Amino acid sequence: MCGIVGYVGAKSALDVVLEGLRRLEYRGYDSAGVAVVADGELTARKKAGKLGNLEKELAANPLPASGLGLGHTRWATHGGPTDANAHPHFDYGSRVAVVHNGIIENFAVLREELREAGIELSSETDTEVVAHLIGLEYPGCVESFGDGALAEAMRRVCRRLDGAFTLVAVHSDVPDVVVGARLNSPLVVGVGAGEAFLCSDVAGFIGHTREAIELGQAQVVEVRSNAVVITDFHGEPAVGKPFHVDWDVAAAEKGGYDYFMEKEIEEQPQAVADTLLGRVSGEGKLELDEMRMSEAELRSVDKVIVIAAGTSYHAGMIAKYAIEHWTRIPVEVELASEFRYRDPILTRDTLVLVISQSGETADTLMALRHAKDQHARVLAICNSNGATIPREADAVVYTHGGPEIAVASTKAFLTQLIACYLVGLYLAQVRAAKFPDEIREILDQLSQAPAKVRETLDRMEPVRELGRALKDHGRVLFLGRHVGFPVALEGALKLKELAYVHAEGFAAGELKHGPIALVDQDLPVVVVVPPADRPLLHDKIVSNIQEIRARGARTIVIAEDGDEAVVPFADTLIYVPELPTLLQPLVATVPLQIFACALADAKGLDVDQPRNLAKSVTVE
């Protein structure tokens, strides 16, 4: 996932582009580059490493003033993070500059074609191939298309490309035009007063305008300071989807916190409240406004398959427990990257629930398309309005969590849980699997969640101290039962992502089947204890704590308020507010987020931008 900004207007293009790249740096930070068109010439600066390296280069070697430019922060796919591989890439005549997000799958064939034509590539990237191809096509488009020649050249090249890509290009002959294209990868137009933007994310232009146009699949857009023209790859007129961005630039800033992740953890009570807002009618019935499936269709569902990746997959695992318990419909949970390769059994009566924070996750999107090809119904849970996944799904429940900038998901996880619970309860309602008063009782419990999360956050300073104290430990284990098992997996994932610690999550009942061999003296083991309303689960995990403590482990126990049974066996005891078992992940996950954040910070690591990771994985 890379950050892209293109600009045309009366302002300094360089200033606008750099500002946008700062807000998009979380999308890619192996290298960065910018290019402007001035006096009929293209000029670029690009450097490996983070954006600060590029800014130092620009201070030493300034670019000329210009109202047209583009920029890019890269997360390497083809070719390592070097100056030469950084974007933008120029064509053989240095007249075309291109930035790119995604992968050109047939680039090797195209590269060989270029070499046969006498064009040698100066980088290892697939992107440079596109720049040369546009450069070759452009002269033949000028006579017929005039100022629209760059857009036509882009269309011709796009028809030859396989893969998932966002492309943005400028040409030194047309200093008032920026052209973009997208296929299976996001691109958004920002429409300002006498200026226009092309960005991979609205955060790239939110400081200038909140009016946007979402491009559809396989479309090319040509933007000028006062016009936006959209076509498909064959030149037929097409229409984008205008929308208003309902958050401002302050939402994309740190707000006084050291890290975006800290800010986003603290925003979780409000994010959970926003996800719940407006879901219950005046008659007390659950309503999902974005539900585009009829109640009759939902009543015919005989199986639910949850598809997701990473943190979203853990939310899906918890959804399984809730949906099966409330509806008695069998639920399978699948890793998106594996789903379509195992020949899954899908019918028209299968409901596929896809979960993605960005709505652009490549594995999840491809799984969604496979499910639709098999005529299954698809319901998306997503945070990004107008993204590809919710647009292609049959229905969508938006989480309304607001922008999440840090690479490691926090508030996205909690809001996805809320959305999953709402979907499960809605299915129970339309299928009459639970009595209305039972559903209202659970909704009342959910309505308490924002305050419970806030209460959890207010007592987390000892957890931060624990993270700092354990910064030199190279291994941590996490244990849980029932919904505590996915919580344990999520806690381990956060520690791996942020602190580069070897962390594993296990179902506590599996201890004796192998993992207990890992336990030795002073090994930190985090145990998520189920609430007392499930005594069988609770008693078994207390036994697990005793087993590992007897073997020298350092036990870190997360339990609900008032649980005295765990006190004798906990070296560190973290109490969280009471919630029913199925809802406990809403509070039990929070200490694990803070623990990982504090431990990574104590090690001097970049919490917001862990190495080798990007916010959204938009290539398979």
Side-chain angles (χ1 to χ4, degrees):
M1 171 64 95
C2 307
I4 289 174
V5 181
Y7 175 76
V8 56
K11 296 173 183 171
S12 164
L14 179 60
D15 291 344
V16 172
V17 168
L18 285 175
E19 176 189 345
L21 292 181
R22 288 187 199 102
R23 294 203 176 95
L24 294 176
E25 190 178 8
Y26 68 94
R27 296 171 66 98
Y29 40 85
D30 289 336
S31 59
V34 292
V36 298
V37 175
D39 300 322
E41 299 290 336
L42 266 173
T43 311
R45 301 285 184 267
K46 50 187 189 173
K47 293 293 290 182
K50 294 193 176 183
L51 188 59
N53 292 353
L54 174 64
E55 292 174 323
K56 291 176 183 176
E57 174 67 16
L58 287 165
N61 297 288
L63 288 175
S66 173
L68 181 93
L70 47 69
H72 186 268
T73 56
R74 179 174 185 248
W75 188 59
T77 51
H78 287 86
T82 65
D83 290 357
N85 288 334
H87 299 207
H89 288 284
F90 283 15
D91 73 319
Y92 58 95
S94 297
R95 311 297 289 173
V96 177
V98 173
V99 293
H100 164 223
N101 181 12
I103 289 180
I104 309 300
E105 293 178 351
N106 60 333
F107 94 101
V109 173
L110 297 171
R111 180 180 57 189
E112 188 58 33
E113 178 184 313
L114 290 169
R115 285 177 174 165
E116 290 175 0
I119 297 173
E120 289 296 325
L121 276 66
S122 59
S123 76
E124 303 169 287
T125 70
D126 50 349
T127 307
E128 188 184 352
V129 168
V130 178
H132 291 303
L133 291 174
I134 293 175
L136 289 170
E137 292 285 357
Y138 180 82
C141 300
V142 173
E143 184 174 347
S144 299
F145 292 89
D147 287 347
L150 183 58
E152 175 59 18
M154 177 70 83
R155 286 189 287 267
R156 294 181 182 182
V157 171
C158 285
R159 294 198 294 268
R160 302 190 60 197
L161 302 180
D162 296 331
F165 54 81
T166 294
L167 298 165
V168 173
V170 296
H171 196 292
S172 58
D173 289 357
V174 278
D176 61 346
V177 175
V178 183
V179 169
R182 66 154 301 207
L183 181 69
N184 299 327
S185 187
L187 184 62
V188 184
V189 181
V191 181
E195 59 186 357
F197 310 78
L198 275 177
C199 296
S200 49
D201 188 311
V202 294
F205 56 72
I206 195 63
H208 302 273
T209 181
R210 295 169 71 176
E211 302 306 317
I213 301 172
E214 170 204 335
L215 288 190
Q217 183 75 312
Q219 290 184 347
V220 169
V221 62
E222 183 180 24
V223 300
R224 291 176 169 81
S225 59
N226 58 359
V228 176
V229 177
I230 302 173
T231 67
D232 63 19
F233 282 180
H234 297 279
E236 295 298 318
V239 178
K241 179 182 177 182
F243 65 97
H244 177 78
V245 182
D246 58 6
W247 49 274
D248 60 20
V249 66
E253 301 295 343
K254 293 181 183 177
Y257 294 93
D258 290 335
Y259 302 104
F260 280 112
M261 184 176 175
E262 291 178 313
K263 175 175 179 281
E264 288 154 10
I265 289 172
E266 289 292 324
E267 289 173 342
Q268 288 180 120
Q270 186 61 54
V272 168
D274 288 345
T275 305
L276 289 166
L277 189 65
R279 306 292 192 180
V280 181
S281 70
E283 293 76 37
K285 291 191 68 175
L286 182 60
E287 292 182 337
L288 299 181
D289 294 339
E290 304 90 348
M291 183 65 66
R292 299 188 291 265
M293 296 179 193
S294 70
E295 292 190 2
E297 288 177 305
L298 293 174
R299 280 192 288 270
S300 71
V301 169
D302 59 14
K303 179 172 69 173
V304 176
I305 300 179
V306 182
I307 297 172
T311 287
S312 298
Y313 176 72
H314 299 152
M317 292 178 70
I318 294 168
K320 172 183 170 70
Y321 288 94
I323 294 172
E324 287 189 338
H325 182 69
W326 292 334
T327 70
R328 312 313 296 167
I329 304 172
V331 179
E332 302 172 9
V333 188
E334 300 271 359
L335 286 166
S337 57
E338 293 290 329
F339 177 69
R340 63 195 179 110
Y341 300 107
R342 67 164 190 82
D343 192 22
I345 300 171
L346 299 160
T347 71
R348 183 63 183 162
D349 292 327
T350 303
L351 177 63
V352 175
L353 181 63
V354 297
I355 308 174
S356 169
Q357 189 279 143
S358 68
E360 303 291 348
T361 312
D363 294 322
T364 309
L365 177 59
M366 294 302 107
L368 178 156
R369 290 175 176 166
H370 179 76
K372 294 201 72 174
D373 287 344
Q374 303 301 311
H375 308 294
R377 297 181 179 93
V378 178
L379 168 60
I381 289 176
C382 185
N383 187 45
S384 302
N385 193 300
T388 304
I389 285 173
R391 190 174 62 248
E392 295 193 11
D394 297 305
V396 57
V397 175
Y398 285 110
T399 56
H400 305 298
E404 187 177 70
I405 306 301
V407 167
S409 283
T410 52
K411 65 178 179 176
F413 180 68
L414 262 60
T415 55
Q416 286 170 352
L417 288 182
I418 294 292
C420 288
Y421 293 143
L422 292 172
V423 169
L425 291 172
Y426 188 77
L427 285 170
Q429 177 178 280
V430 300
R431 297 165 65 91
K434 295 191 82 65
F435 291 113
D437 60 334
E438 293 177 308
I439 294 174
R440 282 194 294 271
E441 181 182 359
I442 299 168
L443 287 171
D444 287 343
Q445 292 165 344
L446 279 173
S447 71
Q448 300 170 32
K452 301 277 190 178
V453 175
R454 179 70 268 162
E455 185 181 348
T456 305
L457 288 167
D458 289 342
R459 52 170 91 166
M460 286 294 102
E461 187 53 38
V463 177
R464 295 184 181 91
E465 293 175 4
L466 178 67
R468 292 189 283 267
L470 296 181
K471 69 182 180 67
D472 295 325
H473 279 264
R475 295 184 300 135
V476 180
L477 300 187
F478 294 76
L479 302 178
R481 284 181 179 264
H482 197 259
V483 292
F485 170 42
V487 171
L489 292 174
E490 176 62 10
L493 177 62
K494 285 291 159 285
L495 203 55
K496 284 183 275 196
E497 287 178 316
L498 299 175
Y500 319 145
V501 168
H502 183 198
E504 295 293 339
F506 296 105
E510 291 296 295
L511 263 180
K512 294 178 182 177
H513 296 278
I516 201 167
L518 296 170
V519 177
D520 56 17
Q521 193 67 33
D522 206 35
L523 173 70
V525 181
V526 181
V527 186
V528 182
V529 179
D533 69 349
R534 298 293 295 272
L536 182 60
L537 284 172
H538 179 274
D539 293 348
K540 285 186 176 296
I541 207 161
V542 171
S543 296
N544 294 139
I545 299 171
Q546 292 174 277
E547 289 170 346
I548 59 175
R549 196 163 190 259
R551 288 160 176 82
R554 177 174 182 170
T555 55
I556 302 162
V557 177
I558 298 173
E560 71 173 1
D561 285 338
D563 188 339
E564 296 294 329
V566 298
V567 172
F569 315 112
D571 294 309
T572 301
L573 180 56
I574 302 164
Y575 277 131
V576 294
E578 293 182 35
L579 276 174
T581 298
L582 286 172
L583 308 187
Q584 193 199 37
L586 292 168
V587 291
T589 307
V590 173
L592 306 184
Q593 298 169 343
I594 291 171
F595 173 67
C597 183
L599 197 152
D601 181 48
K603 294 177 71 170
L605 301 173
D606 189 333
V607 170
D608 286 335
Q609 297 177 353
R611 68 188 181 199
N612 303 331
L613 296 177
K615 181 60 180 171
S616 179
V617 180
T618 57
V619 293
E620 288 191 278

